[in-house]
Amino acid sequence: LALRELITSSSRPSNQKEALTLPQPSITDLCQILTIVSKEAVEMYDKENGMDPLTFGRLESLLKIVMNFVEEHASSAVSGIGRRSVRVNRTQSVEEIAELRKASATINELVTKMAERLLLLVEQQGGPKSMRNLQKKINTMEILFVRVQLMGKKSNRFLESTTIPTFLDWDAPYICRVPSEAVWKAMNSDRIKNAKKNMKSVPAHFIEDEICTTFAEPYIMFLREEIPESNIALCIEIPDEREVEKNETETLYFIVTPVRPVRSSKEKYYQSKKFHCQSTEQGSQEITVANHFPCALSRQSTLITRVLHDATSNC
């Protein structure tokens, strides 16, 4: 709301001629927008688990860009040669540089708070305090992902010929980031609580299955509005294609399979665009998407799927 009010107030035309052209925001307006967006971005990152290293990296890169621009703008104001085609008076230059430094200070404060949070997290886990070992520690923080695919009998919305995009395309595998709310709900489910009571340690596959089931709940709920529940099959493992072809006129298969990111040791932060997924027929699969996760997207369609014939390969 604050961002909308700022943009609206800065874009009001003063006369009819200006109303026909797109308004050019001032550096002061852009600094205020940058400050608001940075704070809101941190708040949105905080809503998901394991995003602190990525948040720190993004803020650190943004701070460098802003600081470089401050230096360049200050030098151009002194020499009279800058980005703009006309000179501005000295008073305006001083005000703009002050706003740029203010925005830089705000982002620097966010970076400092994020670094302190990461260091506190490692200290609570009994890890080393050095920044080098801290970086190794935060790189191991995993974010949960699943492979999602719709197969079999199509619901009405997929039968319609429309240009309106859907959350998932039919028969196209996607890699989706599991929201922290779904993970929390799964870990506090009755199944997990009962398993903890009856077992010394709950197997990893048991927890993964519960997370996949919890992730699928809202989608299954919407599918029930178009297809009877008896005709919807939730699969935690990728089903046999022959079984799908046999029942494709009666059953809708909603496939949610746990995947694990494959990260290169050269990457500075925990990011990956390759994932391993276990397939009951052909061992495991290596799935590649376009952009590195985590990113602004909660889901990405798969670009390449490579079958790893070694069925014993870790997934």
Side-chain angles (χ1 to χ4, degrees):
L1 183 59
L3 180 59
R4 183 182 301 174
E5 292 176 351
L6 178 61
I7 295 175
T8 303
S9 62
S10 64
S11 60
R12 291 172 182 168
S14 58
N15 53 55
Q16 186 176 3
K17 184 178 180 180
E18 290 184 0
L20 300 177
T21 60
L22 291 175
Q24 182 177 357
S26 64
I27 289 182
T28 300
D29 293 332
L30 292 175
C31 288
Q32 294 176 2
I33 292 173
L34 181 62
T35 299
I36 294 174
V37 171
S38 299
K39 291 180 178 179
E40 291 185 355
V42 173
E43 292 178 1
M44 297 303 294
Y45 275 127
D46 286 343
K47 293 182 179 181
E48 297 296 334
N49 57 311
M51 301 292 280
D52 288 351
L54 181 62
T55 308
F56 178 79
R58 291 286 191 266
L59 288 174
E60 194 177 36
S61 299
L62 178 61
L63 179 61
K64 292 179 181 179
I65 295 173
V66 174
M67 292 178 66
N68 290 336
F69 185 84
V70 171
E71 294 179 2
E72 182 182 344
H73 188 72
S75 61
S76 65
V78 173
S79 61
I81 302 174
R83 296 175 180 270
R84 293 163 292 184
S85 59
V86 295
R87 291 191 180 186
V88 295
N89 57 55
R90 182 176 179 81
T91 303
Q92 184 177 351
S93 295
V94 171
E95 292 176 352
E96 290 176 348
I97 293 173
E99 288 294 334
L100 286 167
R101 294 191 186 280
K102 184 178 178 181
S104 176
T106 301
I107 299 172
N108 185 53
E109 182 181 357
L110 294 174
V111 172
T112 302
K113 289 182 179 179
M114 190 58 59
E116 291 175 350
R117 185 192 302 181
L118 291 171
L119 184 59
L120 178 62
L121 179 62
V122 173
E123 289 178 352
Q124 289 176 345
Q125 295 178 350
K129 296 182 180 181
S130 68
M131 290 304 296
R132 179 179 297 179
N133 289 330
L134 169 62
Q135 187 62 58
K136 293 180 180 179
K137 186 68 177 179
I138 62 178
N139 282 343
T140 62
M141 297 178 182
E142 289 197 14
I143 302 171
L144 301 180
F145 299 91
V146 291
R147 175 189 180 275
V148 179
Q149 186 176 9
L150 285 167
M151 299 177 67
K153 180 181 179 180
K154 290 185 177 181
S155 62
N156 294 335
R157 71 179 61 202
F158 287 98
L159 291 173
E160 298 174 355
S161 178
T162 176
T163 57
I164 300 176
T166 55
F167 184 81
L168 300 172
D169 292 331
W170 190 264
D171 201 20
Y174 281 77
I175 298 296
C176 300
R177 176 166 49 84
V178 181
S180 56
E181 292 84 355
V183 177
W184 183 89
K185 185 177 179 181
M187 297 303 294
N188 289 275
S189 64
D190 292 336
R191 289 187 61 198
I192 296 296
K193 289 181 179 179
N194 293 332
K196 289 180 179 179
K197 293 179 180 178
N198 301 325
M199 304 178 186
K200 292 183 179 179
S201 62
V202 182
H205 69 85
F206 191 91
I207 297 176
E208 289 176 344
D209 291 354
E210 187 64 21
I211 291 175
C212 290
T213 302
T214 305
F215 175 86
E217 285 179 356
Y219 305 102
I220 297 294
M221 180 181 67
F222 284 110
L223 289 172
R224 288 173 185 163
E225 298 178 1
E226 300 180 356
I227 294 180
E229 185 176 359
S230 58
N231 291 349
I232 301 175
L234 173 61
C235 302
I236 306 300
E237 296 181 348
I238 301 175
D240 190 333
E241 292 183 0
R242 291 169 294 183
E243 178 185 351
V244 175
E245 292 176 359
K246 180 180 178 182
N247 302 317
E248 65 178 357
T249 58
E250 300 178 358
T251 305
L252 183 151
Y253 292 87
F254 190 75
I255 307 165
V256 184
T257 308
V259 296
R260 294 186 179 179
V262 180
R263 184 180 61 86
S264 171
S265 58
K266 297 181 180 179
E267 293 172 356
K268 184 176 180 181
Y269 302 104
Y270 193 88
Q271 294 180 285
S272 177
K273 60 180 181 179
K274 290 187 178 182
F275 299 83
H276 279 174
C277 173
Q278 187 66 34
S279 173
T280 55
E281 285 187 318
Q282 301 171 319
S284 63
Q285 299 177 347
E286 184 180 81
I287 302 171
T288 305
V289 295
N291 300 310
H292 283 85
F293 271 116
C295 60
L297 303 173
S298 64
R299 67 195 182 282
Q300 294 187 67
S301 59
T302 61
L303 293 179
I304 303 173
T305 300
R306 185 168 67 93
V307 176
L308 305 177
H309 296 282
D310 183 6
T312 62
S313 177
N314 292 330
C315 171

